[in-house]
Amino acid sequence: MNLSRRFSILASSLPISSFIPSAPPSIAPISQTLLPHIDLVNSIKSSPADIIHQIKRLPQFDSSTIYHDNHQVELATLLHAMIVSAYYWHSDPPLPRIPSNIAIPFCDLNKHLSRAPVLTIISTQFYNWKLKDESKPFHPNNIEALFTFSGTEDEVQFYHCATYIEYLGNSIINAIPSLYNGALAKNEIEVKNSLKIFAKTLKEAKKALGLVYQKVDPNVFYFGFRKYLKSFDGGVIYEGVSDTPQKLMGPTAAQSPLMRLVDTIFDLNSNNEFLLRIPMYMQKEHRDLVAFAERNRPNNLREAAISLNASDEWNSAIGELCNFRSAHSKLAYNYIIKPSQGGESKGTGGSSLEAFLSALIENTKKLMISK
């Protein structure tokens, strides 16, 4: 079976449209036991004084009853993840011991999903939306969030401008077999056309990133809901599961499956220590797709582009990736470093913002073909 066929079978087997669920996520739980959890998550925005006691009184959910329904599993995971973050960040310093009635089902759910037990972009973005108008396409202007910490439209748009970028990645997924096969078969037209798709998509992604400035107030982000998205750098203990503290990253753009896929295709940042931790925070299907792209990547793809007179197309794609990363770096400055007046240097993933993002940009620039 040729590469295109194998890649197409893998991609078509994913329960996603690009990296987004092909159908809107579940809103209503099939288990009545989750109704108190929904009520509690909806109350977080009002900052009830007794929320810690409310969390401790929640019924313990039996996650095994919904393992047959992935959308229900993701709904339960989203609810428990938000409750864990609300509990942990209720006070300063944080409350690191998560009570067993929440800790046990949350860890069970994530074990079933094969990922880290913490809030990730899978929950905040991929399984936290519905269309305002089902007759209109997927776009930030047509998306509502199922749940937020703050109840603000800023939080909704913060999640879903990023979600839209992942949605745009479908064209890149579809172009990978042509790029790989073209390089192996020394097909100049196929390689050039594939690289043009990469450049066009990354340019659209940068434009979508700019929507954040239109839709999200930096102060609402930084002083409002950002604290719930921060890493558990001090460690978290899940009672009834383990007494060993776990240091876990919060939802971060570094978890983007599209960016992990693009880096893999261009053989970028494979030795970055922070990014090496990312797969355990990704959806298994996304992780498998990235791993497949890595296993089947032709050797010396850059040299193949040179030999096939595709240097201009290669540089255009790499240039757009640099532009996207530079725009992301500026966004991080305006939404974290600037409102904190320089007092905050870490992203929600726990990395040093300026050093991490600058390194990504510089590594990407090195792939440009000199003439």
Side-chain angles (χ1 to χ4, degrees), residues 185-210:
K186 302 187 184 307
N187 186 317
E188 178 180 333
I189 293 176
E190 205 168 14
V191 168
K192 285 184 174 181
N193 287 341
S194 300
L195 289 171
K196 286 177 182 178
I197 291 172
F198 274 68
K200 180 181 178 182
T201 303
L202 290 166
K203 187 173 184 178
E204 291 174 348
K206 176 180 176 288
K207 183 178 179 181
L209 191 63

Side-chain angles (χ1 to χ4, degrees), residues 20 63 151 264 275 277 301 357 371:
I20 312 302
S63 60
T264 296
L275 292 179
R277 296 166 48 203
L301 196 57
L357 294 175
K371 295 183 179 180

Side-chain angles (χ1 to χ4, degrees), residues 333-351:
Y333 173 81
N334 285 310
Y335 279 77
I336 297 176
I337 297 174
K338 187 176 180 179
S340 72
Q341 297 182 332
E344 181 65 82
S345 62
K346 287 186 176 182
T348 50
S351 64

Side-chain angles (χ1 to χ4, degrees), residues 8-242:
S8 295
I9 289 174
L10 177 63
S12 66
S13 70
L14 302 180
I16 55 173
S17 174
S18 181
F19 295 105
I20 312 302
S22 55
S26 296
I27 299 175
I30 57 176
S31 172
Q32 298 296 300
T33 315
L34 280 177
L35 293 178
H37 298 69
I38 290 177
D39 290 341
L40 189 140
V41 169
N42 284 329
S43 76
I44 293 174
K45 56 182 173 288
S46 61
S47 300
D50 65 339
I51 192 169
I52 295 300
H53 299 294
Q54 288 186 45
I55 292 173
K56 289 180 177 180
R57 292 196 300 266
L58 283 172
Q60 184 169 318
F61 177 62
D62 182 359
S63 60
S64 66
T65 62
I66 59 169
Y67 286 164
H68 64 284
D69 188 328
N70 186 67
H71 276 265
Q72 287 289 312
V73 171
E74 292 290 358
L75 172 62
T77 303
L78 166 60
L79 293 168
H80 281 80
M82 292 185 70
I83 291 168
V84 166
S85 284
Y87 189 97
Y88 188 93
W89 293 113
H90 177 69
S91 61
D92 187 12
L95 302 175
R97 300 187 69 92
I98 308 302
S100 60
N101 61 315
I102 294 299
I104 292 173
F106 185 49
C107 289
D108 285 346
L109 286 162
N110 281 285
K111 183 178 181 180
H112 174 75
L113 292 167
S114 185
R115 62 181 186 245
V118 70
L119 188 65
T120 67
I121 68 168
I122 304 166
S123 290
T124 59
Q125 297 178 27
F126 302 159
Y127 287 92
N128 187 26
W129 62 271
K130 62 180 178 180
L131 296 175
K132 295 178 183 178
D133 185 341
E134 294 184 0
S135 68
K136 294 181 179 179
F138 189 97
H139 187 274
N141 292 338
N142 192 37
I143 304 174
E144 293 179 330
L146 304 182
F147 304 101
T148 65
F149 289 105
S150 64
T152 63
E153 184 63 17
D154 299 76
E155 185 176 353
V156 173
Q157 294 300 328
F158 178 78
Y159 297 149
H160 296 315
C161 287
T163 308
Y164 184 55
I165 291 172
E166 304 298 325
Y167 176 78
L168 293 172
N170 197 51
S171 57
I172 283 180
I173 294 174
N174 292 331
I176 295 171
S178 294
L179 177 64
Y180 284 11
N181 281 330
L184 292 170
K186 302 187 184 307
N187 186 317
E188 178 180 333
I189 293 176
E190 205 168 14
V191 168
K192 285 184 174 181
N193 287 341
S194 300
L195 289 171
K196 286 177 182 178
I197 291 172
F198 274 68
K200 180 181 178 182
T201 303
L202 290 166
K203 187 173 184 178
E204 291 174 348
K206 176 180 176 288
K207 183 178 179 181
L209 191 63
L211 291 173
V212 176
Y213 289 105
Q214 302 174 27
K215 299 176 179 292
V216 184
D217 185 306
N219 290 316
V220 174
F221 166 72
Y222 187 81
F223 297 105
F225 57 89
R226 179 181 181 268
K227 73 172 185 177
Y228 296 111
L229 310 179
K230 291 169 64 177
S231 297
F232 295 165
D233 288 337
V236 60
I237 295 172
Y238 289 111
E239 294 183 346
V241 179
S242 173

